[in-house]
Amino acid sequence: GALLNLPRLMSAAGATIRTDLPPELLPQLATLATQIDGKKTVKLVLTSPQIKSGGTTKYGSVFLPVPSRIAQLTKVVFGPPGADPSWPPAPKASPSGASASPTAP
């Protein structure tokens, strides 16, 4: 299984994943991650229209991000600075006083 191939898997991941995060910050980041209350996190899976098909290869499907759509969704989910993120967002009152639930961009 995958566990038996873990060294190869880690080597492959290391060869394909890039970050500008200095390795010396990883212990601090790991410590910070343990302090995050999972009940107070907002998780969001990007689907269409935040990503689009980039075709297929012999390895499988390729998906490409659509940065403008991701930025729109980020504003909806995270709101203004200092606001508590939530999904789905609270319904907004329409000018007629009726309540309307926004849809994801």
Side-chain angles (χ1 to χ4, degrees), residues 48-56 60-66:
S48 179
Q50 292 83 32
I51 59 172
K52 64 181 179 180
S53 175
T56 57
S61 300
V62 176
F63 295 96
L64 303 171
V66 181

Side-chain angles (χ1 to χ4, degrees), residues 39-60:
K39 294 177 183 173
K40 293 184 178 181
T41 61
V42 175
K43 299 171 189 148
L44 190 64
V45 177
L46 299 179
T47 60
S48 179
Q50 292 83 32
I51 59 172
K52 64 181 179 180
S53 175
T56 57
T57 70
K58 66 180 181 178
Y59 302 107

Side-chain angles (χ1 to χ4, degrees), residues 6-19:
L6 191 56
R8 274 187 15 183
L9 182 60
M10 294 301 291
S11 178
T16 57
I17 298 173
R18 303 281 184 256
T19 180

Side-chain angles (χ1 to χ4, degrees), residues 15-95:
T16 57
I17 298 173
R18 303 281 184 256
T19 180
D20 60 358
L21 181 69
E24 60 270 12
L25 290 181
L26 290 177
Q28 289 175 277
L29 185 59
T31 300
L32 178 62
T34 64
Q35 298 172 12
I36 297 173
D37 181 356
K39 294 177 183 173
K40 293 184 178 181
T41 61
V42 175
K43 299 171 189 148
L44 190 64
V45 177
L46 299 179
T47 60
S48 179
Q50 292 83 32
I51 59 172
K52 64 181 179 180
S53 175
T56 57
T57 70
K58 66 180 181 178
Y59 302 107
S61 300
V62 176
F63 295 96
L64 303 171
V66 181
S68 61
R69 296 290 183 128
I70 294 171
Q72 290 172 352
L73 185 59
T74 300
K75 289 178 184 175
V76 171
V77 174
F78 295 105
D84 288 334
S86 64
W87 187 259
K92 293 183 180 178
S94 68

